[in-house]
């Protein structure tokens, strides 16, 4: 039994997520498989040529991107993300003139086939910039960072930081962050105040804030006002394992740190931080390796 599968079993047992199936994507190069539970309570069942959305209104099929289209072929390697009742994906590439472009795909029950939108990007955006993270309202896309949980689920993540950096040629925490508006196609380079390194990134569930954990501060970008809010410091240097946000305000952000025997929690309302120490270190003398962080309400944190 693999450690990933065992961790998933424990997580499902504690959280009660009985409708979520474990699928090992490491050996699958033909797209997603299995059954996903979507954010609105419906499900999507993946097949070779289509995905089937199952909800209160019955079943609707949405054909997958054409495999004979050179651009749509890239969808099969892109990391898919749940978004409401739909599934979305994005990749950065080049258009016919060699300019950077973001290919954005959306599969939904109301669509007969997965639709693609090509969004022109600023010429300064690297055409091989990895990662794509979406806001819950579907209005924002962050390039340069992707969801760790989605990467772990689909098997697209490197097993070590060194493996990622050797593959991409750039240290992970030095990749540029570009924020793209899916409403009007505009994009903005996000430069962290006072530092350049970033480690973990997450949108708040209400899509009002973008949280970026730097080396010593938690930076907060106000999406509606397009400005930096007051940051939270000090914070320990986060690891790249996982980050978890409480399900409702007041927002609390939990993330594993480079000191593997502890987890740090930042409170956005009080602008304070607290450290949670692992009992494993004290009782067994072992250094834990966090696989997943998950909130059970706003006051309890599940660590696996």
């Amino acid at each position: 039994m693999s450690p990933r599968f065992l961790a998933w079993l424990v997580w499902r047992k504690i959280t009660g997520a009985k409708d979520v199936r474990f699928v090992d994507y490491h050996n699958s190069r033909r797209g997603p498989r299995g059954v996903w539970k979507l954010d609105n309570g419906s499900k999507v069942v993946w097949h070779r040529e289509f995905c089937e959305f199952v909800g209160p209104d019955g079943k609707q099929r949405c054909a997958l991107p054409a495999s004979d289209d050179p651009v749509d072929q890239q969808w099969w390697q892109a990391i898919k993300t749940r978004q409401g009742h739909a599934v979305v994906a994005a990749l950065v590439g080049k258009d016919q003139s060699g300019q950077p472009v973001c290919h954005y795909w959306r599969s939904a029950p109301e669509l007969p086939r997965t639709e693609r939108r090509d969004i022109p990007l600023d010429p300064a955006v690297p055409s091989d910039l990895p990662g794509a993270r979406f806001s819950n309202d579907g209005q924002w896309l962050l390039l340069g960072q992707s969801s760790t949980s989605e990467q772990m689920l689909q098997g697209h993540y490197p097993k070590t930081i060194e493996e990622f950096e050797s593959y991409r040629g750039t240290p992970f925490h030095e990749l540029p962050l570009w924020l793209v508006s899916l409403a009007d196609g505009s994009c903005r380079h996000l430069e962290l105040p006072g530092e350049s390194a970033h480690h973990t990134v997450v949108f708040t569930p209400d899509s009002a804030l973008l949280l970026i954990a730097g080396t010593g501060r938690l930076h907060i970008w106000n999406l509606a006002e397009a400005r930096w809010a007051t940051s939270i410091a000090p914070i320990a240097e986060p690891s790249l394992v996982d980050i978890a946000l409480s399900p409702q305000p007041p927002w609390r952000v939990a993330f594993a740190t480079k000191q593997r025997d502890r987890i740090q929690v930042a409170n956005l309302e009080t602008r304070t931080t607290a450290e949670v120490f692992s009992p494993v270190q004290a009782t067994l003398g072992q250094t834990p390796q966090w696989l997943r962080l998950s909130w059970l309400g706003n006051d309890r944190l599940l660590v696996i």
Side-chain angles (χ1 to χ4, degrees):
M1 183 180 296
S2 70
R4 291 197 320 125
F5 179 63
L6 181 59
W8 171 82
L9 282 177
V10 174
W11 171 78
R12 193 181 76 157
K13 178 68 174 178
I14 296 177
T15 60
K18 300 184 182 302
D19 292 329
V20 180
R21 298 184 184 178
F22 176 85
V23 183
D24 192 342
Y25 287 86
H26 278 293
N27 299 321
S28 176
R29 301 301 179 188
R30 296 177 296 177
R33 293 286 185 270
V35 179
W36 288 9
K37 185 176 181 180
L38 300 179
D39 297 337
N40 68 339
S42 61
K43 302 176 184 178
V44 58
V45 183
W46 295 99
H47 300 272
R48 184 180 297 274
E49 297 180 353
F50 64 90
C51 57
E52 187 174 54
F53 292 88
V54 182
D57 299 329
K59 301 179 180 180
Q60 291 83 31
R61 288 187 177 185
C62 178
L64 301 182
S67 58
D68 56 353
D69 184 289
V71 176
D72 279 338
Q73 283 180 354
Q74 301 177 56
W75 175 88
W76 299 88
Q77 284 76 46
I79 296 176
K80 289 48 166 202
T81 303
R82 303 164 180 81
Q83 190 176 84
H85 70 288
V87 177
V88 294
L91 277 178
V92 177
K94 295 181 179 179
D95 60 17
Q96 294 181 348
S97 63
Q99 295 299 310
V101 62
C102 178
H103 304 299
Y104 168 70
W105 292 273
R106 182 173 180 271
S107 306
E110 68 271 13
L111 299 174
R113 176 176 290 276
T114 298
E115 63 179 10
R116 188 188 85 221
R117 177 183 169 195
D118 296 331
I119 305 172
L121 298 176
D122 188 290
V125 177
S127 59
D128 60 346
L129 187 64
R133 172 164 286 194
F134 297 87
S135 62
N136 285 350
D137 63 0
Q139 297 299 307
W140 300 98
L141 167 64
L142 183 70
L143 301 173
Q145 270 270 359
S146 57
S147 169
T148 305
S149 298
E150 294 291 346
Q151 288 177 322
M152 291 180 67
L153 176 65
Q154 298 178 45
H156 287 269
Y157 69 106
K159 297 179 179 61
T160 64
I161 303 305
E162 292 74 16
E163 181 182 333
F164 184 99
E165 295 176 355
S166 64
Y167 174 68
R168 290 295 177 184
T170 303
F172 186 90
H173 61 274
E174 294 180 6
L175 291 172
L177 295 176
W178 286 84
L179 184 64
V180 180
S181 169
L182 295 176
D184 58 18
S186 61
C187 63
R188 175 194 298 266
H189 182 209
L190 295 182
E191 298 186 62
L192 302 187
E195 63 178 321
S196 59
H198 58 85
H199 299 273
T200 47
V201 178
V202 65
F203 287 96
T204 54
D206 59 3
S207 301
L209 303 174
L210 174 63
L211 311 178
I212 305 174
T215 300
R217 308 182 74 88
L218 180 65
H219 301 276
I220 305 171
W221 178 262
N222 188 306
L223 293 164
E225 300 177 7
R227 65 175 180 85
W228 292 108
T230 303
S231 60
I232 299 177
I235 64 170
E237 185 175 357
S239 72
L240 299 180
V241 178
D242 204 1
I243 184 171
L245 187 63
S246 60
Q248 59 190 18
W251 302 121
R252 293 182 173 92
V253 188
F255 48 86
T257 69
K258 291 292 185 180
Q259 298 170 298
R260 289 191 170 185
D261 62 337
R262 66 192 65 184
I263 293 169
Q264 200 159 37
V265 179
N267 188 317
L268 269 63
E269 184 178 54
T270 61
R271 292 293 196 273
T272 58
T273 59
E275 287 188 342
V276 180
F277 291 83
S278 168
V280 177
Q281 179 77 10
T283 57
L284 301 179
Q286 298 177 356
T287 301
Q289 296 185 10
W290 315 117
L291 296 179
R292 189 178 183 92
L293 305 176
S294 182
W295 286 92
L296 302 176
N298 257 44
D299 300 318
R300 293 182 298 167
L301 180 66
L302 171 65
V303 180
I304 300 178

